[in-house]
Amino acid sequence: VQLQASGGGLVQPGGSLRLSCAASEITLDYYAIGWFRQAPGKEREGVSCISSSDSNTNFADSVKGRFTISRDNAKNTVYLQMNSLKPEDTAVYYCATTFTYWCSLKSDEYDYWGQGTLVTVSS
């Protein structure tokens, strides 16, 4: 299983970015997907997740109302749309997946991880 996270970059506060997580060797329809981030000197934290099948979603309190998550099963890709970005959103963002219905914001419940993409929010 391979996950490829992309879409990171430098953005000004208040700006937007869309991260993509493309999967190979699996069909994402049957997998829950989570997005996590890790800032320098901090522990990895769950940001958002989406369940398989009916696409229930969950978000960390820190990003509710600003981030959305969606999946395009035809492209085998999950997206994290990040709006109203703040400097505290700066981190390496990772996507992860596990073969289950319900999604979780706990990193130890995921089996496969992408390589991470850096998001820097700065003026």
Side-chain angles (χ1 to χ4, degrees), residues 35 37 45-49 57-67 105:
W35 281 99
R37 67 185 181 187
E45 64 170 337
V47 175
S48 180
C49 66
T57 60
N58 195 9
F59 297 89
D61 289 342
S62 58
V63 306
K64 281 181 181 176
R66 299 189 298 121
F67 291 11
L105 295 181

Side-chain angles (χ1 to χ4, degrees), residues 58-88:
N58 195 9
F59 297 89
D61 289 342
S62 58
V63 306
K64 281 181 181 176
R66 299 189 298 121
F67 291 11
T68 58
I69 188 170
S70 61
R71 62 195 307 149
D72 185 337
N73 289 336
K75 294 184 178 180
N76 222 29
T77 300
V78 171
Y79 303 99
L80 183 69
Q81 178 67 43
M82 306 186 296
N83 300 326
S84 303
L85 283 162
K86 305 175 180 180
E88 51 263 44

Side-chain angles (χ1 to χ4, degrees), residues 10-16 84-87 120-123:
L10 174 64
V11 63
Q12 293 186 341
S16 298
S84 303
L85 283 162
K86 305 175 180 180
T120 304
V121 185
S122 175
S123 55

Side-chain angles (χ1 to χ4, degrees), residues 33-117:
I33 305 292
W35 281 99
F36 296 81
R37 67 185 181 187
Q38 188 165 20
K42 294 188 177 181
E43 293 186 353
R44 186 173 296 185
E45 64 170 337
V47 175
S48 180
C49 66
I50 186 167
S51 67
S52 63
S53 303
D54 61 5
S55 296
N56 284 314
T57 60
N58 195 9
F59 297 89
D61 289 342
S62 58
V63 306
K64 281 181 181 176
R66 299 189 298 121
F67 291 11
T68 58
I69 188 170
S70 61
R71 62 195 307 149
D72 185 337
N73 289 336
K75 294 184 178 180
N76 222 29
T77 300
V78 171
Y79 303 99
L80 183 69
Q81 178 67 43
M82 306 186 296
N83 300 326
S84 303
L85 283 162
K86 305 175 180 180
E88 51 263 44
D89 295 318
T90 295
V92 177
Y93 284 71
Y94 301 87
C95 60
T97 189
T98 186
F99 185 64
T100 190
Y101 168 69
W102 292 108
C103 74
S104 169
L105 295 181
K106 298 179 180 179
S107 61
D108 59 3
E109 296 192 12
Y110 290 84
D111 299 312
Y112 307 103
W113 290 79
Q115 84 291 358
T117 184

